[in-house]
Amino acid sequence: MIWTANAHRMDTRSAGAPRRRPHREPAGSLRDYLPAAALLTVGLAALAVSWFLSGPNSGQYLVIASPTTSLTGSIDLVRRAGGRLAATSTLPNIVIAGSDRDDFPATLRLAGAWLAVPVPPVAGCITSSAQEPNP
Amino acid sequence: MIVELDKLRYQSGRLLLALFWLHVPLFVAVALLTGGAPAMAALAGIVVAGSYHLTWMRSGTAPATRYVSAVALMAEPAILLVLLRGHAWQMDMHMYFFAMLTLTIGWCDRRAVLVAATAVALHHLLLLYLLPSAVFSGQGNLGRVLLHAVIVAFQSLVLVWLSDRLVESFELRERTREAEAASRAKSMFLANMSHEIRTPMNAILGFCHLIARTDLDPRQKDYVGKISQAGASLLRLINDILDFSKNEAGKLTLETSPFDLRNAIASQLQLMATEAQAKRVTVTSEIASAVPHRLCGDELRFNQVVLNLVSNAVKFSENGSVTVSLDSVAEQDEQVTLELRVRDTGIGMTPEQQAALFQSFAQADSSTTRRFGGTGLGLAICRQIVEQMGGTIRVESAPGQGSTFIARMVMSHEDENAVADIAAPEHVQRLRVLAADDNAASRQLLHDIFAEWRISLDLVASGDEALSAIRGADEADRAYDLVLLDWKMPGMNGMETIEAMQAMPHKAPLPRTLIVTAYGADSLTVNGNAPPFAAVLTKPIAPRALLDTIVDIFAHDAAAGHAMEAEAAPALAERFRGARVLLVEDNEINREIAIELLAQAGLVVDCAENGRIGCERVEAAGGAYAAVLMDVQMPEMDGIAATRHIRETWPADRLPIIAMTAHAHEEERQRCLAAGMNDHISKPVDPAALMRTLERWLRPAATPPVVPAPAASVEVLPVRTAASPAILPESLPPFDLPAALRRVNGKASLLHKLIVTFGETYAAVAQDLRTQLAGGFLPDARRLAHSLKGVAGSLELAEIQRSAATIEKLIAEGETEQALVTIAALEVQLVPALAAAASLTPRRSAEASFAGPGHDSDAAVAAREELRDLIRRRSLGARAGFGRFAAAIGLSDGARADHPINRALEKLDYDTALALIGTEEVPSDTEDAPSATDKAGAAA
């Protein structure tokens, strides 16, 4: 392996700095992308989770049932927990439910919901005034 | 490999590392301000920065790190968006994506930009479309995602373009540098090769010249002449290549010294006289009266330009004429712009041919090379020189109408205070010269020239008068040393005068003769016999050429053992005479040689035996030394350390220090220069090289120095006069006596003494080396070998010098076993040398311990002090020190072996030896031999 003279100088100058690789570019190996892909995946997942968990307590809840649940099953689930259907979503197992009870999310989870959290605001490139969803 | 690009990536990567870690406290602060969870914010920041840091540690600036950084850069604004959710600045924080995206340019890698763009696109797609679409029916804002994507794509395109341009520019710069380095390497190779070829070429030409002067039959003479001619052509070609490549490598440096322009042109035309005559070309010069007589510039290079242009003109102008004119076209401040025009009536050139003329390896066309020869480098070299002189060169020509080359050069006016005319050496000034020329103007010119040189000149107008004058001077015991004869004179011509002179009876040796002719040297054929004259000069006589010829004639006589031996020794210019120099050298023999050379050159020499004493002397002298000559390897304090010490007080321009070392390597030279020395000469010292070096660095002796001489310093040269006419035998193998004599300026008595001292000092050197190696005293052993190497070189003991050098090298490398083998070989080589040295030692009676009153009490005191010092330091070198002390006080071999100090040193009993040296006295010069013997006996 060839190391540049400059690289060697810098290595000795800054302790703890990584050893520099030669300039010769590797031939675009996919392995080079793996760490970045992993970080991107973890990052996006964390963003999604944080989004789900970041809703203000507005009396409306995002309810996610098991993926096999039909819209009727989802509505039934909400009603059994003592709540009301506020809005449906694109997917049948995800609905927005409304309730004034503080233990509503806990009751929903006991009733079989996978997730029952206050409705998260719309994230991304919007202004703060337009961030609250209008279900 | 592009070093600069690599460096930029490294710096960018390091900058990002700091940037990512700085985001951690930023996130915490934002979380605190917006009521978020600081711990989670910190965790997010640490995950991002940590991921990048890990990759950086592992892969450096490799692509993997660049891609990770691209994702991490996009993660930072994404995290800030989460933290600022619901805040009025949430939308503004989007600007941060673009800022972060821009930072990817630092990698100069388009893929990093694209990865970052992909990351921001996925981020937007997830948060702006996928999640809202999944949760809120109809809330996914694909239009907005696309709008943002277009903006990001546009920025990414700009960044990719910019990144590619950056990489290209780095690659271009690297390629340019490589090309330049290759070109320089090529030029240096050419320069080195040409130089290497020139050395044997000089030998070929030199021996051709010598063979041509022996008795050869006509055919042999013809062959030798052709070899010489071909050799000279080849040498010219090599010189051209050498010059050109040196200039290309940026090594053309011009010197500035005053010179006579008219003489310079005349001498170059004189060089071309024979060729011009052969081609029937009339060469004339027209120098405008406005041109100053003397100007400051590089005479050698100016001559080169003139000669090149004139020789080209002559080459292409058969049966025609060449006119060289010089005029002053502009004058500003101290600068004068000269215009040199060389006009010929030759074949001329088309505009196309003119265009390629000043390029290297180009001639008017390829057929020119075949027809006229030449390298095509001459004009390119002229262009290099003229441009370096701040001028230009061009040509005006048309086919069939001849050519005019016009070169402009800038020179400066001569400093009126620094006018230094050509000075004749002292031994030349003592010559008695007679000149015979029928032309009154020529006689007047010769009179003026010789008067300027302060050489006694008698003038006559014919060969007959010359013979009378020579006869008269011989009878009056004031014979002429040199006679200048014009070749063509009415009545008896120059050659006839020489013949008559040789036929006449004479008491003193006949004077040397110098023929002056206007017809070219080749016209003087001597039918294959050795010419009866010493040299030929062509008219018009250039003073410098005349003086050089006279110096050559008498230098040759000196080399041949003529009575002028002492005068031919290299001497310094008058203005340096009387300057005081300090010689720092530990080796006695080398010291004596250097003292001899320096004193003969007219310098006052102080000595120091090592670097420490040298520093003390410099300090005590307070600026009185004009220069210091410094050995490098010395005991106690070496030359490098001493130089550094001296340089703390005396800068290089105030006190030149010149290294004298047996190492001829470039590294050694560089080491000396790095320590603050001004120059370096290698031992054995070549007297002429020493003088040249001193002339370069010495400060002229403005006033006679008044320095109290230190007690042990050597004020004047301690050269003993020869006691007998035959001081040295004709040969003394293995010493190369003639060569060694040249090293000591022909001082046979000094060389005799040095050889005897060598025999005494180094009789036990092999054993000493073994003892030192066995005791692990490697530095002492190395120094001893080094010292032997230097001395053997000075005394021209080539084999011993080589062996000592090998031993020194082996010891330096720690190869003691190998060194011992070489020491055994050295011991064998030493036997004849020591026997030869012993043969010069006067036989002493068994009873006489002292050699007589010849010893030098100062030297003995110095030797005793040195011995005391060595014993105090418990150096194994003390035995050799005792040898020197014994030699200095003149102890015989027997008394030396029995001497109690010697016996104590044999037993390594330094305490006893030190006690004994305390009682040791040095006999004074006035003591006679018996009493000295008694004293030694008492000491014993």
Short mmCIF file of all heavy atoms in Angstrom, two decimals, chain A residues 83-108:
data_model
loop_
_atom_site.label_atom_id
_atom_site.label_comp_id
_atom_site.label_asym_id
_atom_site.label_seq_id
_atom_site.Cartn_x
_atom_site.Cartn_y
_atom_site.Cartn_z
N GLY A 83 -64.25 4.86 22.96
CA GLY A 83 -63.95 6.07 22.19
C GLY A 83 -64.84 6.19 20.97
O GLY A 83 -65.70 5.36 20.74
N ARG A 84 -64.54 7.22 20.15
CA ARG A 84 -65.35 7.40 18.94
C ARG A 84 -64.39 7.53 17.75
O ARG A 84 -63.22 7.95 17.90
CB ARG A 84 -66.22 8.64 19.08
CG ARG A 84 -65.42 9.91 19.22
CD ARG A 84 -66.31 11.14 19.41
NE ARG A 84 -65.48 12.34 19.39
CZ ARG A 84 -64.75 12.78 20.41
NH1 ARG A 84 -64.74 12.10 21.57
NH2 ARG A 84 -64.05 13.88 20.30
N LEU A 85 -64.88 7.23 16.60
CA LEU A 85 -64.05 7.32 15.40
C LEU A 85 -63.99 8.78 14.96
O LEU A 85 -65.02 9.42 14.76
CB LEU A 85 -64.64 6.44 14.27
CG LEU A 85 -63.86 6.45 12.96
CD1 LEU A 85 -62.51 5.73 13.12
CD2 LEU A 85 -64.67 5.81 11.83
N ALA A 86 -62.82 9.33 14.85
CA ALA A 86 -62.69 10.73 14.42
C ALA A 86 -62.36 10.80 12.94
O ALA A 86 -62.84 11.69 12.23
CB ALA A 86 -61.57 11.42 15.22
N ALA A 87 -61.52 9.87 12.46
CA ALA A 87 -61.18 9.89 11.03
C ALA A 87 -60.59 8.55 10.65
O ALA A 87 -60.04 7.84 11.49
CB ALA A 87 -60.17 10.99 10.74
N THR A 88 -60.74 8.24 9.37
CA THR A 88 -60.07 7.03 8.87
C THR A 88 -58.81 7.47 8.14
O THR A 88 -58.60 8.66 7.90
CB THR A 88 -61.00 6.26 7.88
OG1 THR A 88 -61.34 7.15 6.82
CG2 THR A 88 -62.23 5.76 8.60
N SER A 89 -58.01 6.50 7.78
CA SER A 89 -56.77 6.83 7.03
C SER A 89 -56.74 6.01 5.76
O SER A 89 -57.72 5.34 5.43
CB SER A 89 -55.55 6.53 7.88
OG SER A 89 -55.35 5.12 7.93
N THR A 90 -55.64 6.05 5.08
CA THR A 90 -55.51 5.28 3.85
C THR A 90 -55.55 3.79 4.13
O THR A 90 -56.05 3.01 3.34
CB THR A 90 -54.18 5.65 3.16
OG1 THR A 90 -54.01 7.06 3.21
CG2 THR A 90 -54.15 5.18 1.72
N LEU A 91 -54.99 3.41 5.26
CA LEU A 91 -54.93 1.99 5.60
C LEU A 91 -56.07 1.64 6.55
O LEU A 91 -56.40 2.42 7.45
CB LEU A 91 -53.59 1.67 6.27
CG LEU A 91 -52.34 1.96 5.41
CD1 LEU A 91 -51.05 1.79 6.23
CD2 LEU A 91 -52.31 1.06 4.19
N PRO A 92 -56.68 0.43 6.40
CA PRO A 92 -57.84 0.08 7.22
C PRO A 92 -57.50 -0.14 8.69
O PRO A 92 -58.35 0.03 9.55
CB PRO A 92 -58.34 -1.21 6.57
CG PRO A 92 -57.18 -1.76 5.83
CD PRO A 92 -56.36 -0.58 5.40
N ASN A 93 -56.23 -0.51 8.98
CA ASN A 93 -55.88 -0.81 10.38
C ASN A 93 -55.42 0.44 11.12
O ASN A 93 -54.97 0.37 12.25
CB ASN A 93 -54.81 -1.90 10.46
CG ASN A 93 -53.51 -1.47 9.82
OD1 ASN A 93 -53.53 -0.78 8.78
ND2 ASN A 93 -52.39 -1.84 10.42
N ILE A 94 -55.46 1.58 10.45
CA ILE A 94 -55.06 2.82 11.12
C ILE A 94 -56.25 3.78 11.11
O ILE A 94 -56.79 4.12 10.05
CB ILE A 94 -53.87 3.49 10.41
CG1 ILE A 94 -52.65 2.54 10.38
CG2 ILE A 94 -53.50 4.79 11.10
CD1 ILE A 94 -51.45 3.07 9.64
N VAL A 95 -56.63 4.20 12.29
CA VAL A 95 -57.74 5.17 12.41
C VAL A 95 -57.37 6.22 13.44
O VAL A 95 -56.46 6.04 14.23
CB VAL A 95 -59.07 4.48 12.82
CG1 VAL A 95 -59.59 3.55 11.73
CG2 VAL A 95 -58.88 3.74 14.14
N ILE A 96 -58.11 7.34 13.39
CA ILE A 96 -57.97 8.39 14.40
C ILE A 96 -59.20 8.28 15.29
O ILE A 96 -60.33 8.29 14.79
CB ILE A 96 -57.94 9.79 13.76
CG1 ILE A 96 -56.92 9.86 12.62
CG2 ILE A 96 -57.69 10.86 14.81
CD1 ILE A 96 -55.48 9.88 13.02
N ALA A 97 -58.96 8.17 16.59
CA ALA A 97 -60.07 8.02 17.53
C ALA A 97 -60.10 9.20 18.49
O ALA A 97 -59.05 9.81 18.75
CB ALA A 97 -59.90 6.72 18.31
N GLY A 98 -61.28 9.52 18.99
CA GLY A 98 -61.38 10.62 19.93
C GLY A 98 -61.95 10.14 21.26
O GLY A 98 -62.78 9.23 21.28
N SER A 99 -61.45 10.70 22.34
CA SER A 99 -61.96 10.34 23.66
C SER A 99 -61.48 11.38 24.66
O SER A 99 -60.38 11.93 24.51
CB SER A 99 -61.46 8.94 24.06
OG SER A 99 -61.79 8.70 25.40
N ASP A 100 -62.26 11.65 25.68
CA ASP A 100 -61.82 12.60 26.71
C ASP A 100 -61.16 11.89 27.88
O ASP A 100 -60.62 12.53 28.78
CB ASP A 100 -63.03 13.40 27.22
CG ASP A 100 -63.63 14.22 26.09
OD1 ASP A 100 -62.83 14.62 25.16
OD2 ASP A 100 -64.84 14.46 26.08
N ARG A 101 -61.24 10.59 27.84
CA ARG A 101 -60.70 9.83 28.98
C ARG A 101 -59.17 9.75 28.90
O ARG A 101 -58.60 9.52 27.82
CB ARG A 101 -61.27 8.41 28.97
CG ARG A 101 -62.73 8.34 29.44
CD ARG A 101 -63.33 7.01 29.12
NE ARG A 101 -62.45 5.92 29.44
CZ ARG A 101 -62.59 4.68 28.97
NH1 ARG A 101 -63.60 4.42 28.11
NH2 ARG A 101 -61.78 3.72 29.30
N ASP A 102 -58.55 9.92 30.07
CA ASP A 102 -57.08 9.90 30.09
C ASP A 102 -56.54 8.49 29.88
O ASP A 102 -55.43 8.32 29.37
CB ASP A 102 -56.56 10.44 31.43
CG ASP A 102 -56.79 11.95 31.53
OD1 ASP A 102 -56.98 12.57 30.44
OD2 ASP A 102 -56.76 12.49 32.65
N ASP A 103 -57.37 7.47 30.32
CA ASP A 103 -56.85 6.10 30.20
C ASP A 103 -57.23 5.46 28.87
O ASP A 103 -57.09 4.27 28.67
CB ASP A 103 -57.38 5.24 31.36
CG ASP A 103 -58.91 5.14 31.36
OD1 ASP A 103 -59.53 5.98 30.63
OD2 ASP A 103 -59.45 4.24 32.01
N PHE A 104 -57.73 6.32 27.94
CA PHE A 104 -58.17 5.78 26.65
C PHE A 104 -57.05 5.02 25.92
O PHE A 104 -57.28 3.89 25.46
CB PHE A 104 -58.73 6.93 25.80
CG PHE A 104 -59.25 6.47 24.45
CD1 PHE A 104 -60.32 5.56 24.35
CD2 PHE A 104 -58.67 6.93 23.27
CE1 PHE A 104 -60.78 5.16 23.11
CE2 PHE A 104 -59.14 6.51 22.04
CZ PHE A 104 -60.20 5.62 21.95
N PRO A 105 -55.85 5.58 25.80
CA PRO A 105 -54.80 4.83 25.08
C PRO A 105 -54.53 3.48 25.73
O PRO A 105 -54.37 2.48 25.02
CB PRO A 105 -53.58 5.75 25.18
CG PRO A 105 -54.12 7.08 25.46
CD PRO A 105 -55.39 6.88 26.25
N ALA A 106 -54.49 3.47 27.08
CA ALA A 106 -54.20 2.20 27.77
C ALA A 106 -55.31 1.19 27.51
O ALA A 106 -55.04 0.01 27.25
CB ALA A 106 -54.06 2.47 29.27
N THR A 107 -56.56 1.68 27.51
CA THR A 107 -57.69 0.79 27.26
C THR A 107 -57.63 0.22 25.85
O THR A 107 -57.87 -0.96 25.60
CB THR A 107 -59.02 1.56 27.45
OG1 THR A 107 -58.95 2.31 28.66
CG2 THR A 107 -60.22 0.62 27.52
N LEU A 108 -57.24 1.11 24.90
CA LEU A 108 -57.12 0.66 23.50
C LEU A 108 -56.08 -0.46 23.39
O LEU A 108 -56.29 -1.45 22.69
CB LEU A 108 -56.70 1.83 22.62
CG LEU A 108 -57.80 2.68 21.97
CD1 LEU A 108 -57.20 3.90 21.33
CD2 LEU A 108 -58.58 1.85 20.96
#
